[in-house]
Amino acid sequence: MESYSTHAWKRKRTVDWHCESSPFFKILVVFSSMAPIGQAFLCLILFANICHGFYLPGTYMHTYSNNDEIYAKVNSLTSIETELPYNYYSLPYCQPQGGVKKSAENIGELLMGDQIDNSPYRFKMNVNETVFLCVRGPLTADEAKLLKQRTHDLYQVNMMLDNLPVMRFSKQNGVTIQWTGFPVGYTPQNSNDDYIINHLKFRVLIHEYEGSGMEIIGTGEEGTLGVVTKSDKTSGYEIVGFEVVPCSVKHDPEEMSKLHMYENTKPINCPGSLEKSQVIKENERIAFTYEVEFVKSDIRWPSRWDAYLKMEGSRVHWFSILNSLMVIFFLAGIVFVIFLRTVRRDLTRYEELDKEAQAQMNEELSGWKLVVGDVFREPECSKLLCVMVGDGVQITGMAVVTIIFAALGFMSPASRGMLLTGMILLYLFLGIAAGYVAVRLWRT
């Protein structure tokens, strides 16, 4: 797969194509903008491997030059202990210059509780620095209590850079585990105090890219296809990784108050003792700082999500799931065996009787013949049965189509909420099939 640079299209769903330059191809582009049949024909030609296409739903590749400013975004605070997300700025964190601005969210993100806001964390491409943010405080009794509560509930701060979630590494029993996000704070063993994470050591992995002249086809503002020619060579850096090491550092608030936002400070080391860590308590002033390091990587932009798809830090109760499935299959097997033995015993007894005995038994039915006539008999609530069968077809179809689309790569992890949005739209669309099946069964 060839790498290339793209324009930042304003439309969210954009398909960028890197194609060979040919007059026949340009004629197809003009023809496709005139008629829907031409657009369909163009898509057929493109999928016939005349051009090499690259597509990721909901995202595009962006290149940065040296000293370009990049701002990270923050998502809702989440926890593996509770299911309630909270806004990032519900805690006394530093706010960005110009105020908090929310990002546009789709229906899937809203239902999942995502609240994506801008953050004060600013990076300059290929510039390693240690930066001061702000000094918050003194903490009120409610703020200190809230920070301690979020710390005890194991809430994580979710941050993103160039649509990549921040990742941290921790060692448990000698095994390195990857996590997304970093904790609000921590409570050491044999200690009654809570400590806040107020210093972040970021590590941004970048891949150097050298571009060349190309032709890019994409959707414009009006949704029509167009060609953009780039004759000059463009180069830059692509962000392919975003890592963090959280620390708790006790700064001198008086000294830090003399600094301005984004002013460089001396390098800060993560303390190894609790005496040099920032404790959470009332009337305490907390200074927030961060440092960033840019590291060149061989990871290409299309493969930057591989590290997240291989994570093992999420808590999935596989044993409980497997145990439940085994119990269900075991009980279903017992019921099936009992039912099968009963039917076979009744049928064997009927076959052994002579005709006179069978005629006499038909007058007083027993065993399997008591229910054999009810199999094809109309139930009492036939309309309710038809509705339930239609709903089952709707839900099953939604699940099957969603799994197929996810397996083919259309449900990109770069588009948060796309999976849930797709499921809702498929459920609504498959209401047509559910209605047809329900009416058909009702007529039958």
Side-chain angles (χ1 to χ4, degrees), residues 261-280:
M261 196 172 191
Y262 301 127
E263 187 173 345
N264 292 341
T265 63
K266 59 183 180 180
I268 301 173
N269 297 323
C270 294
S273 59
L274 298 179
E275 290 78 9
K276 298 181 180 180
S277 301
Q278 180 61 58
V279 67
I280 302 175

Side-chain angles (χ1 to χ4, degrees), residues 22-35 37-46 50-51 217 225 227:
S22 63
F24 176 70
F25 181 73
K26 295 179 180 179
I27 293 174
L28 287 177
V29 173
V30 176
F31 180 62
S32 65
S33 62
M34 296 175 61
I37 299 178
Q39 294 180 359
F41 182 70
L42 175 61
C43 293
L44 183 62
I45 295 297
L46 290 175
I50 289 182
C51 302
I217 300 179
L225 291 174
V227 180

Side-chain angles (χ1 to χ4, degrees), residues 63-72 97 120-131 161 202-206 237 239 242 261-264 290-295:
T63 57
Y64 301 91
S65 302
N66 287 325
N67 295 320
D68 280 356
E69 292 186 352
I70 314 168
Y71 285 89
Q97 295 177 343
Y121 292 93
R122 183 201 66 183
F123 308 135
K124 293 183 179 180
M125 177 57 67
N126 253 344
V127 177
N128 301 335
E129 57 184 352
T130 303
V131 182
L161 183 68
F202 294 105
R203 186 169 177 262
V204 181
L205 304 181
I206 57 177
Y237 299 94
I239 298 177
F242 187 34
M261 196 172 191
Y262 301 127
E263 187 173 345
N264 292 341
Y290 70 93
E291 59 183 282
V292 58
E293 178 187 8
F294 288 87
V295 180

Side-chain angles (χ1 to χ4, degrees), residues 292-307:
V292 58
E293 178 187 8
F294 288 87
V295 180
K296 292 185 178 181
S297 172
D298 295 331
I299 302 175
R300 293 185 176 272
W301 188 86
S303 304
R304 64 177 190 165
W305 280 95
D306 293 350

